[in-house]
PDB file of all heavy atoms in Angstrom:
ATOM      1  N   ARG I 301     -27.349   8.291  -7.872  1.00 86.00           N
ATOM      2  CA  ARG I 301     -26.212   8.928  -7.290  1.00 86.00           C
ATOM      3  C   ARG I 301     -25.483   8.188  -6.309  1.00 86.00           C
ATOM      4  O   ARG I 301     -24.170   8.138  -6.210  1.00 86.00           O
ATOM      5  CB  ARG I 301     -26.600  10.306  -6.696  1.00 86.00           C
ATOM      6  CG  ARG I 301     -27.131  11.342  -7.734  1.00 86.00           C
ATOM      7  CD  ARG I 301     -27.626  12.500  -7.077  1.00 86.00           C
ATOM      8  NE  ARG I 301     -28.073  13.587  -7.941  1.00 86.00           N
ATOM      9  CZ  ARG I 301     -28.695  14.694  -7.697  1.00 86.00           C
ATOM     10  NH1 ARG I 301     -28.827  14.990  -6.453  1.00 86.00           N
ATOM     11  NH2 ARG I 301     -29.164  15.510  -8.600  1.00 86.00           N
ATOM     12  N   ALA I 302     -26.231   7.466  -5.476  1.00 81.00           N
ATOM     13  CA  ALA I 302     -25.670   6.584  -4.382  1.00 81.00           C
ATOM     14  C   ALA I 302     -24.783   5.437  -5.068  1.00 81.00           C
ATOM     15  O   ALA I 302     -23.719   5.036  -4.618  1.00 81.00           O
ATOM     16  CB  ALA I 302     -26.681   6.004  -3.482  1.00 81.00           C
ATOM     17  N   ALA I 303     -25.385   4.790  -6.285  1.00 82.00           N
ATOM     18  CA  ALA I 303     -24.703   3.807  -6.893  1.00 82.00           C
ATOM     19  C   ALA I 303     -23.385   4.325  -7.458  1.00 82.00           C
ATOM     20  O   ALA I 303     -22.308   3.647  -7.439  1.00 82.00           O
ATOM     21  CB  ALA I 303     -25.526   3.173  -7.947  1.00 82.00           C
ATOM     22  N   GLU I 304     -23.404   5.536  -8.058  1.00 83.00           N
ATOM     23  CA  GLU I 304     -22.233   6.058  -8.688  1.00 83.00           C
ATOM     24  C   GLU I 304     -21.090   6.330  -7.592  1.00 83.00           C
ATOM     25  O   GLU I 304     -19.883   6.077  -7.724  1.00 83.00           O
ATOM     26  CB  GLU I 304     -22.574   7.381  -9.420  1.00 83.00           C
ATOM     27  CG  GLU I 304     -23.413   7.259 -10.705  1.00 83.00           C
ATOM     28  CD  GLU I 304     -23.787   8.507 -11.275  1.00 83.00           C
ATOM     29  OE1 GLU I 304     -23.402   9.573 -10.749  1.00 83.00           O
ATOM     30  OE2 GLU I 304     -24.601   8.469 -12.239  1.00 83.00           O
ATOM     31  N   LYS I 305     -21.639   6.914  -6.523  1.00 78.00           N
ATOM     32  CA  LYS I 305     -20.693   7.132  -5.365  1.00 78.00           C
ATOM     33  C   LYS I 305     -20.109   5.905  -4.908  1.00 78.00           C
ATOM     34  O   LYS I 305     -18.930   5.879  -4.469  1.00 78.00           O
ATOM     35  CB  LYS I 305     -21.443   7.913  -4.347  1.00 78.00           C
ATOM     36  CG  LYS I 305     -20.520   8.366  -3.155  1.00 78.00           C
ATOM     37  CD  LYS I 305     -21.358   9.176  -2.119  1.00 78.00           C
ATOM     38  CE  LYS I 305     -20.467   9.477  -0.909  1.00 78.00           C
ATOM     39  NZ  LYS I 305     -21.374  10.277   0.100  1.00 78.00           N
ATOM     40  N   GLN I 306     -20.890   4.901  -4.759  1.00 76.00           N
ATOM     41  CA  GLN I 306     -20.449   3.626  -4.179  1.00 76.00           C
ATOM     42  C   GLN I 306     -19.411   3.009  -5.202  1.00 76.00           C
ATOM     43  O   GLN I 306     -18.350   2.499  -4.696  1.00 76.00           O
ATOM     44  CB  GLN I 306     -21.664   2.658  -4.072  1.00 76.00           C
ATOM     45  CG  GLN I 306     -21.214   1.290  -3.592  1.00 76.00           C
ATOM     46  CD  GLN I 306     -20.460   1.303  -2.214  1.00 76.00           C
ATOM     47  OE1 GLN I 306     -20.731   2.213  -1.392  1.00 76.00           O
ATOM     48  NE2 GLN I 306     -19.569   0.384  -1.921  1.00 76.00           N
ATOM     49  N   ALA I 307     -19.707   3.113  -6.496  1.00 78.00           N
ATOM     50  CA  ALA I 307     -18.680   2.520  -7.481  1.00 78.00           C
ATOM     51  C   ALA I 307     -17.363   3.205  -7.231  1.00 78.00           C
ATOM     52  O   ALA I 307     -16.287   2.506  -7.325  1.00 78.00           O
ATOM     53  CB  ALA I 307     -19.278   2.500  -8.835  1.00 78.00           C
ATOM     54  N   ALA I 308     -17.433   4.548  -7.187  1.00 76.00           N
ATOM     55  CA  ALA I 308     -16.190   5.354  -7.163  1.00 76.00           C
ATOM     56  C   ALA I 308     -15.492   5.032  -5.833  1.00 76.00           C
ATOM     57  O   ALA I 308     -14.220   4.942  -5.785  1.00 76.00           O
ATOM     58  CB  ALA I 308     -16.501   6.790  -7.299  1.00 76.00           C
ATOM     59  N   LEU I 309     -16.249   4.910  -4.759  1.00 75.00           N
ATOM     60  CA  LEU I 309     -15.579   4.604  -3.411  1.00 75.00           C
ATOM     61  C   LEU I 309     -14.918   3.256  -3.391  1.00 75.00           C
ATOM     62  O   LEU I 309     -13.858   3.014  -2.917  1.00 75.00           O
ATOM     63  CB  LEU I 309     -16.734   4.666  -2.359  1.00 75.00           C
ATOM     64  CG  LEU I 309     -16.236   4.230  -0.986  1.00 75.00           C
ATOM     65  CD1 LEU I 309     -15.137   5.133  -0.484  1.00 75.00           C
ATOM     66  CD2 LEU I 309     -17.462   4.290   0.031  1.00 75.00           C
ATOM     67  N   GLU I 310     -15.668   2.257  -3.991  1.00 74.00           N
ATOM     68  CA  GLU I 310     -15.080   0.899  -4.040  1.00 74.00           C
ATOM     69  C   GLU I 310     -13.830   0.844  -4.769  1.00 74.00           C
ATOM     70  O   GLU I 310     -12.830   0.313  -4.468  1.00 74.00           O
ATOM     71  CB  GLU I 310     -16.172  -0.042  -4.541  1.00 74.00           C
ATOM     72  CG  GLU I 310     -15.779  -1.489  -4.445  1.00 74.00           C
ATOM     73  CD  GLU I 310     -16.914  -2.446  -4.819  1.00 74.00           C
ATOM     74  OE1 GLU I 310     -18.063  -2.030  -4.539  1.00 74.00           O
ATOM     75  OE2 GLU I 310     -16.598  -3.600  -5.307  1.00 74.00           O
ATOM     76  N   ALA I 311     -13.798   1.606  -5.981  1.00 74.00           N
ATOM     77  CA  ALA I 311     -12.635   1.653  -6.868  1.00 74.00           C
ATOM     78  C   ALA I 311     -11.513   2.259  -6.090  1.00 74.00           C
ATOM     79  O   ALA I 311     -10.292   1.897  -6.117  1.00 74.00           O
ATOM     80  CB  ALA I 311     -12.882   2.380  -8.112  1.00 74.00           C
ATOM     81  N   SER I 312     -11.820   3.329  -5.320  1.00 70.00           N
ATOM     82  CA  SER I 312     -10.835   4.097  -4.516  1.00 70.00           C
ATOM     83  C   SER I 312     -10.208   3.218  -3.421  1.00 70.00           C
ATOM     84  O   SER I 312      -9.114   3.219  -3.204  1.00 70.00           O
ATOM     85  CB  SER I 312     -11.469   5.403  -3.960  1.00 70.00           C
ATOM     86  OG  SER I 312     -10.625   6.012  -3.132  1.00 70.00           O
ATOM     87  N   LEU I 313     -11.138   2.488  -2.742  1.00 72.00           N
ATOM     88  CA  LEU I 313     -10.604   1.644  -1.696  1.00 72.00           C
ATOM     89  C   LEU I 313      -9.607   0.541  -2.140  1.00 72.00           C
ATOM     90  O   LEU I 313      -8.539   0.461  -1.638  1.00 72.00           O
ATOM     91  CB  LEU I 313     -11.774   0.908  -0.969  1.00 72.00           C
ATOM     92  CG  LEU I 313     -12.713   1.839  -0.201  1.00 72.00           C
ATOM     93  CD1 LEU I 313     -13.918   0.984   0.311  1.00 72.00           C
ATOM     94  CD2 LEU I 313     -11.937   2.412   1.040  1.00 72.00           C
ATOM     95  N   ASN I 314     -10.016  -0.088  -3.178  1.00 70.00           N
ATOM     96  CA  ASN I 314      -9.065  -1.096  -3.775  1.00 70.00           C
ATOM     97  C   ASN I 314      -7.718  -0.541  -4.451  1.00 70.00           C
ATOM     98  O   ASN I 314      -6.675  -1.030  -4.150  1.00 70.00           O
ATOM     99  CB  ASN I 314      -9.819  -1.991  -4.841  1.00 70.00           C
ATOM    100  CG  ASN I 314     -10.790  -2.819  -4.261  1.00 70.00           C
ATOM    101  OD1 ASN I 314     -10.767  -3.297  -3.139  1.00 70.00           O
ATOM    102  ND2 ASN I 314     -11.981  -3.095  -4.965  1.00 70.00           N
ATOM    103  N   ALA I 315      -7.956   0.641  -5.027  1.00 65.00           N
ATOM    104  CA  ALA I 315      -6.754   1.351  -5.591  1.00 65.00           C
ATOM    105  C   ALA I 315      -5.759   1.662  -4.490  1.00 65.00           C
ATOM    106  O   ALA I 315      -4.622   1.503  -4.539  1.00 65.00           O
ATOM    107  CB  ALA I 315      -7.221   2.562  -6.426  1.00 65.00           C
ATOM    108  N   GLU I 316      -6.255   2.236  -3.403  1.00 57.00           N
ATOM    109  CA  GLU I 316      -5.423   2.707  -2.304  1.00 57.00           C
ATOM    110  C   GLU I 316      -4.763   1.448  -1.647  1.00 57.00           C
ATOM    111  O   GLU I 316      -3.661   1.628  -1.296  1.00 57.00           O
ATOM    112  CB  GLU I 316      -6.389   3.415  -1.274  1.00 57.00           C
ATOM    113  CG  GLU I 316      -5.548   4.096  -0.140  1.00 57.00           C
ATOM    114  CD  GLU I 316      -4.886   5.396  -0.700  1.00 57.00           C
ATOM    115  OE1 GLU I 316      -5.341   5.884  -1.790  1.00 57.00           O
ATOM    116  OE2 GLU I 316      -3.962   5.824  -0.044  1.00 57.00           O
ATOM    117  N   LYS I 317      -5.510   0.443  -1.533  1.00 57.00           N
ATOM    118  CA  LYS I 317      -4.827  -0.853  -0.924  1.00 57.00           C
ATOM    119  C   LYS I 317      -3.748  -1.345  -1.756  1.00 57.00           C
ATOM    120  O   LYS I 317      -2.615  -1.672  -1.290  1.00 57.00           O
ATOM    121  CB  LYS I 317      -5.872  -1.872  -0.809  1.00 57.00           C
ATOM    122  CG  LYS I 317      -5.428  -3.248  -0.232  1.00 57.00           C
ATOM    123  CD  LYS I 317      -4.814  -3.009   1.179  1.00 57.00           C
ATOM    124  CE  LYS I 317      -4.241  -4.363   1.683  1.00 57.00           C
ATOM    125  NZ  LYS I 317      -3.547  -4.196   3.024  1.00 57.00           N
ATOM    126  N   ILE I 318      -3.835  -1.404  -3.113  1.00 44.00           N
ATOM    127  CA  ILE I 318      -2.871  -1.784  -4.006  1.00 44.00           C
ATOM    128  C   ILE I 318      -1.577  -0.902  -3.816  1.00 44.00           C
ATOM    129  O   ILE I 318      -0.485  -1.347  -3.832  1.00 44.00           O
ATOM    130  CB  ILE I 318      -3.319  -1.752  -5.408  1.00 44.00           C
ATOM    131  CG1 ILE I 318      -4.459  -2.832  -5.650  1.00 44.00           C
ATOM    132  CG2 ILE I 318      -2.253  -2.047  -6.416  1.00 44.00           C
ATOM    133  CD1 ILE I 318      -5.114  -2.802  -6.968  1.00 44.00           C
ATOM    134  N   THR I 319      -1.819   0.430  -3.719  1.00 44.00           N
ATOM    135  CA  THR I 319      -0.747   1.400  -3.562  1.00 44.00           C
ATOM    136  C   THR I 319       0.024   1.115  -2.199  1.00 44.00           C
ATOM    137  O   THR I 319       1.316   1.063  -2.237  1.00 44.00           O
ATOM    138  CB  THR I 319      -1.191   2.759  -3.464  1.00 44.00           C
ATOM    139  OG1 THR I 319      -1.953   3.066  -4.731  1.00 44.00           O
ATOM    140  CG2 THR I 319      -0.143   3.760  -3.308  1.00 44.00           C
ATOM    141  N   LEU I 320      -0.696   0.738  -1.261  1.00 47.00           N
ATOM    142  CA  LEU I 320      -0.024   0.379   0.070  1.00 47.00           C
ATOM    143  C   LEU I 320       0.749  -0.898  -0.100  1.00 47.00           C
ATOM    144  O   LEU I 320       1.934  -0.995   0.392  1.00 47.00           O
ATOM    145  CB  LEU I 320      -1.056   0.268   1.196  1.00 47.00           C
ATOM    146  CG  LEU I 320      -1.696   1.605   1.662  1.00 47.00           C
ATOM    147  CD1 LEU I 320      -2.832   1.225   2.594  1.00 47.00           C
ATOM    148  CD2 LEU I 320      -0.591   2.380   2.341  1.00 47.00           C
ATOM    149  N   ASP I 321       0.220  -1.887  -0.796  1.00 52.00           N
ATOM    150  CA  ASP I 321       0.922  -3.144  -1.001  1.00 52.00           C
ATOM    151  C   ASP I 321       2.244  -2.868  -1.731  1.00 52.00           C
ATOM    152  O   ASP I 321       3.352  -3.360  -1.435  1.00 52.00           O
ATOM    153  CB  ASP I 321       0.108  -4.101  -1.777  1.00 52.00           C
ATOM    154  CG  ASP I 321      -1.077  -4.651  -0.914  1.00 52.00           C
ATOM    155  OD1 ASP I 321      -0.897  -4.514   0.298  1.00 52.00           O
ATOM    156  OD2 ASP I 321      -1.956  -5.219  -1.355  1.00 52.00           O
ATOM    157  N   ALA I 322       2.132  -2.059  -2.765  1.00 43.00           N
ATOM    158  CA  ALA I 322       3.303  -1.747  -3.647  1.00 43.00           C
ATOM    159  C   ALA I 322       4.374  -1.075  -2.801  1.00 43.00           C
ATOM    160  O   ALA I 322       5.544  -1.367  -3.005  1.00 43.00           O
ATOM    161  CB  ALA I 322       2.926  -0.890  -4.827  1.00 43.00           C
ATOM    162  N   THR I 323       3.913  -0.093  -2.005  1.00 41.00           N
ATOM    163  CA  THR I 323       4.963   0.583  -1.263  1.00 41.00           C
ATOM    164  C   THR I 323       5.605  -0.433  -0.234  1.00 41.00           C
ATOM    165  O   THR I 323       6.890  -0.451   0.005  1.00 41.00           O
ATOM    166  CB  THR I 323       4.301   1.668  -0.377  1.00 41.00           C
ATOM    167  OG1 THR I 323       3.653   2.576  -1.308  1.00 41.00           O
ATOM    168  CG2 THR I 323       5.277   2.445   0.407  1.00 41.00           C
ATOM    169  N   LYS I 324       4.866  -1.215   0.417  1.00 45.00           N
ATOM    170  CA  LYS I 324       5.362  -2.237   1.324  1.00 45.00           C
ATOM    171  C   LYS I 324       6.378  -3.182   0.684  1.00 45.00           C
ATOM    172  O   LYS I 324       7.395  -3.401   1.265  1.00 45.00           O
ATOM    173  CB  LYS I 324       4.161  -2.912   1.999  1.00 45.00           C
ATOM    174  CG  LYS I 324       4.656  -4.115   2.955  1.00 45.00           C
ATOM    175  CD  LYS I 324       3.429  -4.738   3.499  1.00 45.00           C
ATOM    176  CE  LYS I 324       3.790  -5.853   4.409  1.00 45.00           C
ATOM    177  NZ  LYS I 324       2.650  -6.591   4.845  1.00 45.00           N
ATOM    178  N   LYS I 325       5.939  -3.691  -0.508  1.00 45.00           N
ATOM    179  CA  LYS I 325       6.840  -4.664  -1.169  1.00 45.00           C
ATOM    180  C   LYS I 325       8.105  -4.062  -1.648  1.00 45.00           C
ATOM    181  O   LYS I 325       9.218  -4.707  -1.521  1.00 45.00           O
ATOM    182  CB  LYS I 325       6.114  -5.300  -2.352  1.00 45.00           C
ATOM    183  CG  LYS I 325       4.902  -6.225  -1.964  1.00 45.00           C
ATOM    184  CD  LYS I 325       4.155  -6.710  -3.137  1.00 45.00           C
ATOM    185  CE  LYS I 325       2.981  -7.576  -2.739  1.00 45.00           C
ATOM    186  NZ  LYS I 325       2.158  -8.012  -3.797  1.00 45.00           N
ATOM    187  N   ALA I 326       8.059  -2.753  -1.995  1.00 44.00           N
ATOM    188  CA  ALA I 326       9.296  -2.079  -2.355  1.00 44.00           C
ATOM    189  C   ALA I 326      10.196  -1.917  -1.193  1.00 44.00           C
ATOM    190  O   ALA I 326      11.331  -2.148  -1.277  1.00 44.00           O
ATOM    191  CB  ALA I 326       8.950  -0.598  -2.913  1.00 44.00           C
ATOM    192  N   GLY I 327       9.645  -1.746   0.007  1.00 46.00           N
ATOM    193  CA  GLY I 327      10.534  -1.607   1.160  1.00 46.00           C
ATOM    194  C   GLY I 327      11.199  -2.965   1.554  1.00 46.00           C
ATOM    195  O   GLY I 327      12.318  -3.092   1.880  1.00 46.00           O
ATOM    196  N   GLU I 328      10.342  -4.117   1.388  1.00 48.00           N
ATOM    197  CA  GLU I 328      10.828  -5.388   1.676  1.00 48.00           C
ATOM    198  C   GLU I 328      11.949  -5.785   0.628  1.00 48.00           C
ATOM    199  O   GLU I 328      12.922  -6.441   1.014  1.00 48.00           O
ATOM    200  CB  GLU I 328       9.696  -6.366   1.599  1.00 48.00           C
ATOM    201  CG  GLU I 328       8.710  -6.268   2.719  1.00 48.00           C
ATOM    202  CD  GLU I 328       7.535  -7.167   2.542  1.00 48.00           C
ATOM    203  OE1 GLU I 328       7.344  -7.618   1.456  1.00 48.00           O
ATOM    204  OE2 GLU I 328       6.727  -7.220   3.502  1.00 48.00           O
ATOM    205  N   SER I 329      11.807  -5.321  -0.592  1.00 45.00           N
ATOM    206  CA  SER I 329      12.729  -5.621  -1.650  1.00 45.00           C
ATOM    207  C   SER I 329      14.135  -5.034  -1.252  1.00 45.00           C
ATOM    208  O   SER I 329      15.169  -5.675  -1.396  1.00 45.00           O
ATOM    209  CB  SER I 329      12.287  -5.085  -3.020  1.00 45.00           C
ATOM    210  OG  SER I 329      13.248  -5.331  -3.985  1.00 45.00           O
ATOM    211  N   GLU I 330      14.103  -3.691  -0.832  1.00 45.00           N
ATOM    212  CA  GLU I 330      15.302  -3.027  -0.371  1.00 45.00           C
ATOM    213  C   GLU I 330      15.911  -3.771   0.749  1.00 45.00           C
ATOM    214  O   GLU I 330      17.132  -3.821   0.878  1.00 45.00           O
ATOM    215  CB  GLU I 330      14.980  -1.529   0.008  1.00 45.00           C
ATOM    216  CG  GLU I 330      14.646  -0.735  -1.258  1.00 45.00           C
ATOM    217  CD  GLU I 330      14.416   0.678  -0.759  1.00 45.00           C
ATOM    218  OE1 GLU I 330      14.684   1.025   0.353  1.00 45.00           O
ATOM    219  OE2 GLU I 330      13.932   1.460  -1.701  1.00 45.00           O
ATOM    220  N   SER I 331      15.114  -4.245   1.728  1.00 44.00           N
ATOM    221  CA  SER I 331      15.619  -5.017   2.819  1.00 44.00           C
ATOM    222  C   SER I 331      16.405  -6.190   2.450  1.00 44.00           C
ATOM    223  O   SER I 331      17.496  -6.487   2.917  1.00 44.00           O
ATOM    224  CB  SER I 331      14.454  -5.340   3.781  1.00 44.00           C
ATOM    225  OG  SER I 331      14.959  -6.157   4.823  1.00 44.00           O
ATOM    226  N   GLU I 332      15.805  -6.968   1.467  1.00 45.00           N
ATOM    227  CA  GLU I 332      16.408  -8.284   1.029  1.00 45.00           C
ATOM    228  C   GLU I 332      17.694  -8.048   0.333  1.00 45.00           C
ATOM    229  O   GLU I 332      18.576  -8.927   0.285  1.00 45.00           O
ATOM    230  CB  GLU I 332      15.419  -8.970   0.130  1.00 45.00           C
ATOM    231  CG  GLU I 332      14.196  -9.544   1.034  1.00 45.00           C
ATOM    232  CD  GLU I 332      13.151 -10.094   0.042  1.00 45.00           C
ATOM    233  OE1 GLU I 332      13.287  -9.941  -1.180  1.00 45.00           O
ATOM    234  OE2 GLU I 332      12.117 -10.485   0.658  1.00 45.00           O
ATOM    235  N   THR I 333      17.744  -6.914  -0.350  1.00 42.00           N
ATOM    236  CA  THR I 333      19.050  -6.654  -1.251  1.00 42.00           C
ATOM    237  C   THR I 333      20.087  -5.906  -0.423  1.00 42.00           C
ATOM    238  O   THR I 333      21.159  -5.606  -0.997  1.00 42.00           O
ATOM    239  CB  THR I 333      18.699  -5.825  -2.423  1.00 42.00           C
ATOM    240  OG1 THR I 333      18.027  -4.732  -2.017  1.00 42.00           O
ATOM    241  CG2 THR I 333      17.760  -6.669  -3.344  1.00 42.00           C
ATOM    242  N   GLY I 334      19.851  -5.682   0.884  1.00 41.00           N
ATOM    243  CA  GLY I 334      20.795  -5.024   1.749  1.00 41.00           C
ATOM    244  C   GLY I 334      21.013  -3.580   1.482  1.00 41.00           C
ATOM    245  O   GLY I 334      21.983  -3.001   1.708  1.00 41.00           O
ATOM    246  N   ALA I 335      19.892  -2.810   1.071  1.00 38.00           N
ATOM    247  CA  ALA I 335      19.970  -1.478   0.802  1.00 38.00           C
ATOM    248  C   ALA I 335      20.196  -0.682   2.042  1.00 38.00           C
ATOM    249  O   ALA I 335      19.940  -1.175   3.140  1.00 38.00           O
ATOM    250  CB  ALA I 335      18.665  -0.998   0.134  1.00 38.00           C
ATOM    251  N   ALA I 336      20.682   0.527   1.992  1.00 37.00           N
ATOM    252  CA  ALA I 336      20.899   1.390   3.130  1.00 37.00           C
ATOM    253  C   ALA I 336      19.515   1.683   3.867  1.00 37.00           C
ATOM    254  O   ALA I 336      18.512   1.812   3.240  1.00 37.00           O
ATOM    255  CB  ALA I 336      21.456   2.715   2.705  1.00 37.00           C
ATOM    256  N   GLY I 337      19.590   1.694   5.227  1.00 36.00           N
ATOM    257  CA  GLY I 337      18.401   1.949   6.038  1.00 36.00           C
ATOM    258  C   GLY I 337      17.504   0.642   6.070  1.00 36.00           C
ATOM    259  O   GLY I 337      16.342   0.822   6.066  1.00 36.00           O
ATOM    260  N   THR I 338      18.060  -0.486   5.910  1.00 32.00           N
ATOM    261  CA  THR I 338      17.314  -1.695   5.848  1.00 32.00           C
ATOM    262  C   THR I 338      16.248  -1.833   6.910  1.00 32.00           C
ATOM    263  O   THR I 338      15.030  -1.985   6.681  1.00 32.00           O
ATOM    264  CB  THR I 338      18.285  -2.920   5.870  1.00 32.00           C
ATOM    265  OG1 THR I 338      19.111  -2.871   4.801  1.00 32.00           O
ATOM    266  CG2 THR I 338      17.388  -4.129   5.764  1.00 32.00           C
ATOM    267  N   GLY I 339      16.744  -1.848   8.207  1.00 32.00           N
ATOM    268  CA  GLY I 339      15.748  -2.126   9.245  1.00 32.00           C
ATOM    269  C   GLY I 339      14.682  -1.081   9.282  1.00 32.00           C
ATOM    270  O   GLY I 339      13.500  -1.357   9.531  1.00 32.00           O
ATOM    271  N   GLU I 340      14.988   0.247   9.156  1.00 31.00           N
ATOM    272  CA  GLU I 340      13.997   1.278   9.219  1.00 31.00           C
ATOM    273  C   GLU I 340      12.917   1.126   8.107  1.00 31.00           C
ATOM    274  O   GLU I 340      11.771   1.268   8.411  1.00 31.00           O
ATOM    275  CB  GLU I 340      14.679   2.660   9.173  1.00 31.00           C
ATOM    276  CG  GLU I 340      13.760   3.825   9.283  1.00 31.00           C
ATOM    277  CD  GLU I 340      14.478   5.068   9.281  1.00 31.00           C
ATOM    278  OE1 GLU I 340      15.630   5.096   9.273  1.00 31.00           O
ATOM    279  OE2 GLU I 340      13.833   6.170   9.257  1.00 31.00           O
ATOM    280  N   THR I 341      13.434   0.834   6.891  1.00 28.00           N
ATOM    281  CA  THR I 341      12.538   0.728   5.727  1.00 28.00           C
ATOM    282  C   THR I 341      11.597  -0.425   5.940  1.00 28.00           C
ATOM    283  O   THR I 341      10.303  -0.247   5.742  1.00 28.00           O
ATOM    284  CB  THR I 341      13.320   0.529   4.568  1.00 28.00           C
ATOM    285  OG1 THR I 341      14.260   1.582   4.360  1.00 28.00           O
ATOM    286  CG2 THR I 341      12.423   0.544   3.285  1.00 28.00           C
ATOM    287  N   GLN I 342      12.034  -1.531   6.526  1.00 29.00           N
ATOM    288  CA  GLN I 342      11.088  -2.763   6.606  1.00 29.00           C
ATOM    289  C   GLN I 342      10.062  -2.370   7.712  1.00 29.00           C
ATOM    290  O   GLN I 342       8.962  -2.696   7.534  1.00 29.00           O
ATOM    291  CB  GLN I 342      11.950  -3.874   7.004  1.00 29.00           C
ATOM    292  CG  GLN I 342      11.121  -5.164   7.177  1.00 29.00           C
ATOM    293  CD  GLN I 342      11.900  -6.453   7.329  1.00 29.00           C
ATOM    294  OE1 GLN I 342      13.124  -6.338   7.640  1.00 29.00           O
ATOM    295  NE2 GLN I 342      11.344  -7.601   7.199  1.00 29.00           N
ATOM    296  N   LYS I 343      10.491  -1.769   8.696  1.00 29.00           N
ATOM    297  CA  LYS I 343       9.670  -1.372   9.894  1.00 29.00           C
ATOM    298  C   LYS I 343       8.497  -0.559   9.368  1.00 29.00           C
ATOM    299  O   LYS I 343       7.336  -0.608   9.611  1.00 29.00           O
ATOM    300  CB  LYS I 343      10.343  -0.780  10.961  1.00 29.00           C
ATOM    301  CG  LYS I 343       9.457  -0.501  12.249  1.00 29.00           C
ATOM    302  CD  LYS I 343      10.281   0.052  13.382  1.00 29.00           C
ATOM    303  CE  LYS I 343       9.315   0.408  14.521  1.00 29.00           C
ATOM    304  NZ  LYS I 343      10.106   1.108  15.604  1.00 29.00           N
ATOM    305  N   ASP I 344       8.970   0.600   8.646  1.00 31.00           N
ATOM    306  CA  ASP I 344       8.003   1.546   8.062  1.00 31.00           C
ATOM    307  C   ASP I 344       7.033   0.765   7.230  1.00 31.00           C
ATOM    308  O   ASP I 344       5.771   1.165   7.196  1.00 31.00           O
ATOM    309  CB  ASP I 344       8.703   2.691   7.370  1.00 31.00           C
ATOM    310  CG  ASP I 344       9.445   3.536   8.289  1.00 31.00           C
ATOM    311  OD1 ASP I 344       9.115   3.461   9.504  1.00 31.00           O
ATOM    312  OD2 ASP I 344      10.272   4.363   7.849  1.00 31.00           O
ATOM    313  N   GLY I 345       7.505  -0.073   6.338  1.00 29.00           N
ATOM    314  CA  GLY I 345       6.630  -0.864   5.403  1.00 29.00           C
ATOM    315  C   GLY I 345       5.588  -1.517   6.165  1.00 29.00           C
ATOM    316  O   GLY I 345       4.418  -1.567   5.875  1.00 29.00           O
ATOM    317  N   GLN I 346       5.920  -2.287   7.219  1.00 28.00           N
ATOM    318  CA  GLN I 346       4.964  -3.048   7.946  1.00 28.00           C
ATOM    319  C   GLN I 346       3.957  -2.121   8.745  1.00 28.00           C
ATOM    320  O   GLN I 346       2.802  -2.375   8.783  1.00 28.00           O
ATOM    321  CB  GLN I 346       5.681  -3.845   8.993  1.00 28.00           C
ATOM    322  CG  GLN I 346       6.500  -5.021   8.418  1.00 28.00           C
ATOM    323  CD  GLN I 346       7.280  -5.759   9.431  1.00 28.00           C
ATOM    324  OE1 GLN I 346       7.559  -5.276  10.556  1.00 28.00           O
ATOM    325  NE2 GLN I 346       7.854  -6.960   8.982  1.00 28.00           N
ATOM    326  N   ALA I 347       4.506  -0.946   9.268  1.00 29.00           N
ATOM    327  CA  ALA I 347       3.533  -0.113   9.890  1.00 29.00           C
ATOM    328  C   ALA I 347       2.505   0.449   8.964  1.00 29.00           C
ATOM    329  O   ALA I 347       1.398   0.564   9.366  1.00 29.00           O
ATOM    330  CB  ALA I 347       4.365   1.051  10.591  1.00 29.00           C
TER     331      ALA I 347
END
């Protein structure tokens, strides 16, 4: 049970990190293309 829980936890940790990266990169992309709210979006992405 501990092994199963650990495997699920590890997958969850990595999946969550990828999601954060994707959100951050999307914010940076908007910043580079001059989208509305540029400064705020980039700051939120970094935070």
